[in-house]
Amino acid sequence: MLKIEILTAGDSAILIEFGKEISPEINRKITAIVQLIKEQQIEGIVDTIPAFCSLLVNYDPRIISYEKIVERMRQLVKVDVMAEVGEKRIIEIPVCYGGDFGPDIETVAENAKMSREEVIKLHSSKDYLIYMLGFLPGFSYLGGLDERLHTPRLANPRIKINAGSVGIGGSQTGIYPLDSPGGWQLIGLTPVKTYDPNREVPILFEAGDYIRFVPIDEAEFYRIKELANKGEYQCIVHEGGV
């Protein structure tokens, strides 16, 4: 049974802690609570920010008091919502691996004592749960990277990593949504804009979704990139975990 604590986080936020363990079960509980909060439409709640084992709830103290927000959250976290969480939503992300698109794939392969092709096959063979978004707008922290692909970060981080870069940093893998500095080992590049401020919904996915990396060749990369630049590319989305 989860030991859930509600803590003060400044004068306009509370932090709900769901233990210390990072697990899909806790993530599903947090995702379900977020959905329940949205459905309740509690006046005064400004935002909800899920993390690995916690949920930050920002509220407007002029509308709802600290005592009332805490009491509402205490009631919500008692609700058995695990069964109410829908089937998983999987977003396919096309990736061109290796070469100029993934300059560190040989390093990852050497560290794993695998061939480049084996790294690609293993990295794209499973669906990765998005535990949380952070660091940059739309930067996804993914769980489930095969231990054989765990690779130390770069000793000297790059000053600039291109948006769309797919990398491995320690035990995690993810996609850089914007150009930024970074120290992850880059193994590929997606032509998809996972974050686009001009889109109606800027971030392509949310915590609780899954990402499935799909290998593509260079020709397909540029075909999709052209469509994405025009706003005409739609990622394949599986509802129900297919």
Side-chain angles (χ1 to χ4, degrees):
M1 185 175 179
L2 290 178
K3 182 182 178 182
I4 301 175
E5 293 186 274
I6 301 178
L7 308 172
T8 303
D11 59 2
S12 60
I14 58 172
L15 184 68
I16 308 174
E17 290 191 341
F18 296 78
K20 303 298 182 183
E21 179 188 357
I22 298 174
S23 72
E25 292 73 27
I26 288 179
N27 182 260
R28 284 196 292 270
K29 175 72 173 180
I30 293 172
T31 300
I33 292 296
V34 170
Q35 184 59 37
L36 195 56
I37 290 173
K38 290 179 180 178
E39 292 173 357
Q40 294 279 318
Q41 296 183 338
I42 301 171
E43 190 175 7
I45 289 184
V46 178
D47 197 10
T48 54
I49 305 172
F52 283 116
C53 308
S54 64
L55 174 63
L56 185 70
V57 180
N58 293 316
Y59 65 96
D60 187 338
R62 297 170 299 179
I63 298 175
I64 185 169
S65 69
Y66 169 77
E67 290 76 16
K68 286 185 178 179
I69 189 72
V70 168
E71 182 57 31
R72 290 297 298 271
M73 292 304 104
R74 279 179 179 156
Q75 295 302 318
L76 286 184
V77 298
K78 290 178 183 178
V79 178
D80 183 10
V81 291
M82 298 297 285
E84 298 175 14
V85 180
E87 297 291 341
K88 66 182 183 181
R89 180 172 176 260
I90 304 168
I91 298 97
E92 288 194 5
I93 301 295
V95 179
C96 191
Y97 286 92
D100 292 336
F101 300 97
D104 301 320
I105 197 167
E106 300 298 342
T107 300
V108 174
E110 183 178 349
N111 186 73
K113 296 180 173 56
M114 294 180 180
S115 67
R116 173 181 176 276
E117 290 70 26
E118 287 173 326
V119 168
I120 296 171
K121 183 177 181 180
L122 187 58
H123 187 260
S124 61
S125 66
K126 67 183 303 179
D127 301 329
Y128 297 92
L129 172 63
I130 302 175
Y131 276 93
M132 60 182 284
L133 301 175
F135 167 55
L136 294 169
F139 188 95
S140 55
Y141 286 86
L142 308 180
L145 180 66
D146 192 289
E147 289 186 5
R148 290 169 288 179
L149 294 180
H150 292 186
T151 311
R153 291 169 170 79
L154 296 173
N156 297 304
R158 292 180 171 91
I159 295 175
K160 179 187 175 184
I161 290 178
N162 292 329
S165 293
V166 176
I168 291 175
S171 61
Q172 291 186 308
T173 186
I175 309 164
Y176 282 84
L178 298 168
D179 293 349
S180 72
W184 286 23
Q185 305 278 358
L186 305 183
I187 62 172
L189 187 70
T190 178
V192 172
K193 294 181 179 181
T194 59
Y195 172 74
D196 183 353
N198 297 316
R199 229 171 15 220
E200 183 178 354
V201 180
I203 300 174
L204 196 58
F205 31 65
E206 57 187 34
D209 287 339
Y210 287 76
I211 284 179
R212 177 181 297 170
F213 295 111
V214 179
I216 57 174
D217 59 22
E218 189 171 337
E220 181 68 358
F221 175 91
Y222 286 113
R223 186 190 73 81
I224 293 175
K225 185 177 179 64
E226 184 177 355
L227 291 174
N229 287 338
K230 296 176 182 177
E232 298 175 0
Y233 183 77
Q234 296 290 328
C235 288
I236 296 173
V237 178
H238 301 277
E239 302 281 357
V242 178

